[in-house]
Amino acid sequence: DAVTLQLQFGNLLSRAYPELIARHNELGLIQHAREAEGNLMAKIGAASTAVTSTSVIGMGRDFLVQLGRAAAAYRSRHRLDADAPLRAIIPAWVKDAMAADLTLAAPGDSTLNAYAEIDAYIASRGIIATYALDSSSGASYFSAQSSGAMNEFPDTFIWYLFAEGSFLFLDGGTLDLGVIRDSTLVGTNDYKMFVETFEGVAKVGIESLKVTSTINVNGVAAALRDTTGGATAAAIEY
């Protein structure tokens, strides 16, 4: 696929305020990267099996259980060794949500600095984490902040799990035309900047999972079950 970025500026503005033009170029490249990454994530999602997982307790522990369960089932289906590396693509803010949830847990759990431990928790399950800034749906990053209450962590997010090497990045290079001037642009005293990248994804593995997880950042560390039907009767919240 070709992912294109084209910006148009006025010659007078460029001479009077070059810092603004430089910043607009940076922001344009940021948006280009977001579009390109979202396109790749959409292709990975389309080539994956869509599944869901619901919240049981606090997100910090819940997600580790979901990761471990998905990894164990994946290895079992494909007769992989217990330490066979799996790749998980996870929204970048999920680590912050896990740390916040563990911070809310009972005093004495020593989880106020959980960032240093989360990667080790994930790695101990034989999973290599990639923290993505973008997604195909926009759900991997926070929405705009409006006046009033601060945005909460999202209630759901999408992540992916597959054997290492299941997807290949197809890099077709970059076409960078730089500054463009023609008779029409000269007539309006403008110029354009143009760049496009050619990229895609090839699935060469057997199975990939696209998991939609429902979460709750509340610090709940355990669930109580009754002795009659085994259903969750209450939760210990802090």
Side-chain angles (χ1 to χ4, degrees), residues 5-235:
L5 170 66
Q6 180 174 272
L7 301 173
Q8 182 170 321
F9 302 106
N11 288 317
L12 294 178
L13 177 61
S14 297
R15 294 176 66 86
Y17 201 169
E19 297 86 358
L20 180 64
I21 299 302
R23 184 56 179 155
H24 279 232
N25 274 319
E26 292 174 1
L27 292 173
L29 291 171
I30 289 171
Q31 184 60 31
H32 179 272
R34 174 152 281 176
E35 295 287 340
E37 291 294 311
N39 183 54
L40 296 178
M41 298 292 280
K43 291 182 177 297
I44 291 175
S48 302
T49 302
V51 298
T52 61
S53 185
T54 58
S55 176
V56 177
I57 54 174
M59 187 266 182
R61 291 169 171 82
D62 248 354
F63 186 52
L64 292 175
V65 172
Q66 293 174 19
L67 275 173
R69 177 158 53 101
Y74 192 103
R75 293 186 178 104
S76 175
R77 282 193 296 275
H78 301 293
R79 202 173 183 272
L80 299 176
D81 290 337
D83 58 352
L86 303 180
R87 172 73 61 175
I89 302 178
I90 305 167
W93 59 262
V94 166
K95 186 187 291 189
D96 297 293
M98 293 176 71
D101 185 81
L102 294 172
T103 299
L104 289 171
D109 285 355
S110 299
T111 55
L112 290 177
N113 188 28
Y115 286 95
E117 302 176 20
I118 290 172
D119 284 332
Y121 292 151
I122 295 174
S124 68
R125 288 158 173 79
I127 297 172
I128 306 167
T130 295
Y131 294 102
L133 296 175
D134 307 297
S135 74
S136 58
S137 63
S140 285
Y141 49 89
F142 280 72
S143 59
Q145 176 69 58
S146 58
S147 298
M150 183 187 298
N151 287 347
E152 298 287 350
F153 286 107
D155 295 326
T156 63
F157 67 93
I158 296 172
W159 55 283
Y160 305 88
L161 183 74
F162 46 84
E164 184 75 318
S166 293
F167 290 95
L168 299 179
F169 173 61
L170 307 180
D171 186 358
T174 301
L175 175 62
D176 187 350
L177 299 183
V179 176
I180 300 174
R181 302 182 188 273
D182 58 25
S183 58
T184 301
L185 291 169
V186 169
T188 59
N189 207 16
D190 295 324
Y191 68 94
K192 287 185 177 181
M193 303 286 290
F194 179 93
V195 63
E196 65 182 357
T197 56
F198 302 92
E199 53 193 67
V201 168
K203 183 181 180 182
V204 296
I206 296 175
E207 182 185 27
S208 172
L209 297 179
K210 176 185 177 182
V211 186
T212 300
S213 289
T214 301
I215 62 170
N216 198 341
V217 179
N218 56 13
V220 173
L224 299 180
R225 294 187 177 272
D226 63 25
T227 58
T228 55
T232 300

